[in-house]
Amino acid sequence: MPEREPDSTPPRRRSERARTAVLNATAALIEEVPYPRLTIEAIAARAGVGKQTIYRWWPSRGAIVFDSLLERSGGADASLPDSGDLQADLSAFLRASADEMASPSTGAFLRAVTVEILQDDGVAQQYRDRLLTPQRSAVRRRLAVSQDAGMLRDDLDLDVLVECLLGPLVGRWLLGPGPLEVDFADAVVDVALRGAIR
Amino acid sequence: MPEREPDSTPPRRRSERARTAVLNATAALIEEVPYPRLTIEAIAARAGVGKQTIYRWWPSRGAIVFDSLLERSGGADASLPDSGDLQADLSAFLRASADEMASPSTGAFLRAVTVEILQDDGVAQQYRDRLLTPQRSAVRRRLAVSQDAGMLRDDLDLDVLVECLLGPLVGRWLLGPGPLEVDFADAVVDVALRGAIR
């Protein structure tokens, strides 16, 4: 075996490499182990770094998990198409969201982040600011185009309408009872737009 | 000080007393300490029982927390009024639900149970069977009366409509952005029944 050479990588790149190793280790562990076993120790061991290195960048497990989700989602560049057909545009967006939430690997990530949101106000705030708000704003902008064109009721609070569209997906993802499928996404859009009354 | 007498309580009543002590200790701790610090050890210490006593009845922390919620909620005897005015009946139910979810003490309980639902399939199943399904069935029954009377669209899947009513509350409770208030409950009922299209 060759003798191990001293690491001549500049400190900055070495840091970046360790950061990436930590996020990748976290992503791998989220899919592999029950979440209560995803400790800082387990992440450090998997990433091959010391615990001090981790605590230099992140204050908590929740912060690492959130950064790992952010890296994976590639930032929240949410925007909706505008085909002129509001129902079709919303269905496409909700179908894609349902599909992603229902995938096993994204599901494990979302469960992990949700556990942190429930227990760590810092993570909850980050999640709202960096993922949730951009996503909801994108839906709201699409709705505003239709409301300005006179297609939606004037008296409607668009923020509430956004929650009427996305809330049922969150509810079904978290609690069931049924699967998150395209039919469900379409049905939610149908109720939110047309209503239930005959 | 009097000498401590041997406990002459029959074993069955002693058991029941310990069970109640465990559930009360859990309820108190849920409101007092951050949830990660709510360990079986902490519950045992607060209840004044041994860990073995706890493990005799409950397989996990999640199971204790769920029983504690069940005890508190007094079982799920959910039923909706039928005043003949569907919108009013649904608003009353959703307002009461929002109110309860938004109260600090119930909120702490729901957060604890949700953390367990996300990590423990047994708790998730119990939650669905014993709390969620009875609640949703009650809403569904009220909707079915109106659908049978021809007031709701025939083509509507009532299970989906139930989720369109309750999902936005779950979503806002979990993620925000706004407060869970009566105005929000009313607005959700309005969208679900009348729709957004002009």
Side-chain angles (χ1 to χ4, degrees):
Chain A
M1 267 171 49
E3 204 170 88
R4 192 169 162 204
E5 285 174 30
D7 191 345
S8 61
T9 318
R12 198 194 174 120
R13 274 194 51 205
R14 212 156 59 216
S15 283
E16 188 50 40
R17 202 196 285 160
R19 184 179 169 278
T20 303
V22 167
L23 295 181
N24 289 345
T26 304
L29 288 169
I30 281 175
E31 294 191 42
E32 288 169 26
V33 305
Y35 196 57
R37 278 170 45 202
L38 194 127
T39 57
I40 301 272
E41 286 76 10
I43 295 171
R46 178 71 163 251
V49 305
K51 278 175 64 174
Q52 321 85 289
T53 303
I54 293 186
Y55 281 120
R56 203 179 308 145
W57 281 308
W58 294 280
S60 64
R61 177 182 72 164
I64 308 172
V65 168
F66 178 77
D67 270 2
S68 186
L69 175 69
L70 208 59
E71 189 101 339
R72 175 194 171 85
S73 70
D77 182 27
S79 84
L80 264 68
D82 183 354
S83 70
D85 181 341
L86 178 64
Q87 184 148 359
D89 293 347
L90 290 175
S91 280
F93 183 80
L94 259 68
R95 281 173 170 225
S97 302
D99 219 45
E100 200 189 333
M101 292 163 87
S103 91
S105 67
T106 305
F109 252 97
L110 289 181
R111 273 197 302 282
V113 170
T114 308
V115 166
E116 299 295 347
I117 285 172
L118 287 160
Q119 300 185 109
D120 181 333
D121 288 340
V123 174
Q125 192 60 48
Q126 285 275 315
Y127 184 81
R128 269 195 291 273
D129 291 349
R130 302 182 66 181
L131 289 174
L132 195 70
T133 304
Q135 179 211 43
R136 295 195 168 179
S137 300
V139 179
R140 196 188 192 289
R141 279 193 301 275
R142 179 64 189 84
L143 295 171
V145 169
S146 293
Q147 194 175 41
D148 289 344
M151 291 163 57
L152 295 181
R153 284 159 48 193
D154 289 329
D155 63 336
L156 218 55
D157 180 333
L158 294 187
D159 291 316
V160 170
L161 183 53
V162 170
E163 294 186 64
C164 288
L165 289 160
L166 299 179
L169 266 62
V170 175
R172 182 170 274 207
W173 171 77
L174 181 62
L175 301 170
L180 260 180
E181 288 173 344
V182 294
D183 286 355
F184 180 69
D186 289 349
V188 169
V189 173
D190 179 58
V191 167
L193 292 186
R194 294 203 297 143
I197 290 175
R198 238 158 92 125
Chain B
M1 266 171 52
E3 205 170 87
R4 193 170 161 202
E5 285 174 31
D7 191 345
S8 62
T9 317
R12 200 197 173 119
R13 273 195 51 206
R14 211 156 60 214
S15 284
E16 189 50 39
R17 201 195 285 160
R19 184 179 168 276
T20 304
V22 167
L23 295 181
N24 289 344
T26 305
L29 288 170
I30 281 175
E31 295 191 42
E32 287 169 25
V33 305
Y35 196 56
R37 279 170 45 202
L38 194 127
T39 57
I40 302 270
E41 286 77 9
I43 295 171
R46 178 71 163 250
V49 305
K51 277 175 65 175
Q52 320 85 290
T53 303
I54 292 185
Y55 281 119
R56 201 178 311 143
W57 282 308
W58 295 279
S60 64
R61 177 183 72 165
I64 309 172
V65 167
F66 179 77
D67 269 5
S68 187
L69 175 69
L70 209 60
E71 189 101 341
R72 177 194 168 86
S73 71
D77 181 27
S79 85
L80 263 68
D82 183 354
S83 70
D85 181 341
L86 178 63
Q87 183 148 1
D89 293 347
L90 291 174
S91 279
F93 183 78
L94 259 69
R95 281 173 171 226
S97 301
D99 219 45
E100 199 188 334
M101 291 163 87
S103 91
S105 67
T106 305
F109 252 97
L110 289 181
R111 272 196 303 281
V113 170
T114 307
V115 166
E116 300 294 347
I117 285 172
L118 286 160
Q119 301 185 106
D120 183 331
D121 288 341
V123 174
Q125 192 60 48
Q126 285 275 315
Y127 184 80
R128 269 195 291 275
D129 291 349
R130 303 182 66 180
L131 288 174
L132 194 69
T133 303
Q135 180 211 43
R136 295 195 167 178
S137 300
V139 180
R140 196 187 191 290
R141 279 194 301 275
R142 180 64 189 83
L143 294 171
V145 169
S146 293
Q147 195 175 42
D148 290 345
M151 291 162 60
L152 295 181
R153 286 159 46 194
D154 289 328
D155 63 336
L156 218 55
D157 180 334
L158 294 188
D159 291 317
V160 170
L161 184 54
V162 170
E163 293 186 65
C164 288
L165 288 161
L166 300 179
L169 267 62
V170 175
R172 182 170 274 209
W173 171 77
L174 182 62
L175 301 170
L180 259 180
E181 288 173 345
V182 293
D183 287 355
F184 180 69
D186 289 349
V188 169
V189 173
D190 178 57
V191 168
L193 292 187
R194 294 203 297 142
I197 290 176
R198 238 157 93 124

